[in-house]
């Protein structure tokens, strides 16, 4: 079946630094990938839609300059949290569409 | 705007019980509906995908039904086990191609299931 690999699974960074999260579709090509954010005990909130070779489409209220998304190939999309602050601490999950949706295992970001 | 609601928010049952989790959505123009399982601190695992033209899907002890016209889906878990303990999420995909919401899933808040021995 379709597999999406997301790395790292956990990251702790200092306030003001940047963190990059990778999302790879291992056995299929994903023209579209989605990035979600999940707060504790809450559902997933879509942050942006990433299309290969074009700029990402951000949801209302999501700062595109803070959350940089790159989808340079059909199997890789990255999310970079720039100048991270404690309020950016959250669980970030990517997914790739292939009929249904396959999700990565998520990244727990803690900004200290 | 599509809204997805899941009831109950939490459920705690003894092992062996048959369970029903409910999901309702406000806009019946959906392409499909998907049920996911999420373990604490983990990503989502797809359980069942029901296309808008289908009424139900089954996988092992899981059965999901879809009544698109009334905006409802149920996930039935037979003979529950402690290993079924997790958060169950339903998500709908809109049917309208070309719009800004195309391809975007709308999730419910989830049902936290605890099955105790």
């Amino acid at each position: 079946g379709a597999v999406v690999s997301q790395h790292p699974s956990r990251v702790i960074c200092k306030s003001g630094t940047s963190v990059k999260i990778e999302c790879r579709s291992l056995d299929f090509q994903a023209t579209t990938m989605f990035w979600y954010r999940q707060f504790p005990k809450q559902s997933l909130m879509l942050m942006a839609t990433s299309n290969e070779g074009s700029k990402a489409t951000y949801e209302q209220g999501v700062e595109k300059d803070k959350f940089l998304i790159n989808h340079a190939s059909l199997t890789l999309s990255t999310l970079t949290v720039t100048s991270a602050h404690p309020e950016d601490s959250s669980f970030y999950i990517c997914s790739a569409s292939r009929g249904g949706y396959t999700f990565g295992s998520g990244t727990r970001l803690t900004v200290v | 705007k599509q809204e997805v609601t899941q009831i109950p928010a939490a459920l705690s049952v003894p092992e062996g019980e048959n369970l029903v989790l409910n999901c309702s959505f406000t806009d019946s123009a959906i392409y499909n509906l998907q049920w996911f399982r999420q373990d604490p601190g983990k990503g989502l695992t797809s359980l069942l995908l029901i296309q808008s033209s289908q009424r139900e899907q089954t996988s092992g002890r899981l059965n999901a039904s879809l009544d698109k016209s009334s905006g409802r889906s149920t996930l039935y878990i037979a003979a529950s086990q402690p290993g079924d303990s997790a958060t169950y999420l339903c998500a709908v995909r809109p049917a309208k191609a070309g719009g800004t919401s195309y391809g975007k899933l709308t999730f419910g808040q989830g049902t936290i299931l605890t099955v105790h021995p």
Side-chain angles (χ1 to χ4, degrees):
Chain A
V3 177
V4 172
S5 175
Q6 184 173 345
H7 293 282
S9 58
R10 289 179 177 270
V11 58
I12 300 174
C13 71
K14 292 184 178 181
S15 184
T17 61
S18 296
V19 174
K20 180 184 285 187
I21 302 169
E22 288 191 352
C23 180
R24 293 181 184 271
S25 55
L26 297 185
D27 51 0
F28 66 101
Q29 294 183 333
T31 55
T32 303
M33 288 189 176
F34 302 88
W35 288 94
Y36 294 85
R37 182 173 182 175
Q38 186 178 32
F39 292 100
K41 297 187 178 181
Q42 294 190 24
S43 191
L44 280 71
M45 291 179 53
L46 181 64
M47 298 174 65
T49 303
S50 163
N51 293 296
E52 186 265 340
S54 63
K55 291 183 178 181
T57 303
Y58 291 81
E59 295 300 299
Q60 190 174 11
V62 177
E63 299 176 61
K64 60 182 179 181
D65 294 331
K66 165 168 274 297
F67 300 100
L68 301 179
I69 292 173
N70 183 276
H71 194 161
S73 76
L74 288 171
T75 59
L76 174 64
S77 178
T78 61
L79 167 66
T80 301
V81 183
T82 62
S83 187
H85 292 283
E87 57 266 29
D88 297 325
S89 299
S90 189
F91 192 61
Y92 294 87
I93 311 177
C94 68
S95 77
S97 172
R98 189 191 189 196
Y101 291 78
T102 303
F103 283 77
S105 54
T107 297
R108 169 70 61 193
L109 170 63
T110 303
V111 185
V112 298
Chain B
K1 179 184 175 183
Q2 178 73 273
E3 293 182 2
V4 180
T5 303
Q6 290 186 245
I7 295 173
L11 187 60
S12 181
V13 299
E15 181 176 8
E17 281 204 4
N18 300 323
L19 310 171
V20 176
L21 308 182
N22 297 291
C23 173
S24 62
F25 46 96
T26 56
D27 187 346
S28 62
I30 65 170
Y31 183 75
N32 60 36
L33 182 146
Q34 199 163 357
W35 282 93
F36 295 92
R37 169 185 172 140
Q38 184 178 31
D39 293 292
K42 304 294 184 182
L44 276 65
T45 300
S46 179
L47 298 174
L48 291 165
L49 171 70
I50 311 176
Q51 301 295 346
S52 62
S53 59
Q54 297 175 322
R55 299 284 292 182
E56 67 177 342
Q57 283 286 335
T58 299
S59 176
R61 294 183 293 109
L62 305 179
N63 175 276
S65 66
L66 174 64
D67 184 342
K68 195 176 75 165
S69 61
S70 67
R72 295 180 181 180
S73 177
T74 60
L75 177 66
Y76 179 80
I77 303 176
S80 59
Q81 302 170 358
D84 295 331
S85 299
T87 297
Y88 290 81
L89 295 158
C90 73
V92 297
R93 177 179 175 179
K96 299 175 182 177
T100 58
S101 63
Y102 180 64
K104 299 178 183 179
L105 297 181
T106 300
F107 282 86
Q109 292 293 94
T111 293
I112 302 172
L113 173 64
T114 303
V115 181
H116 46 88

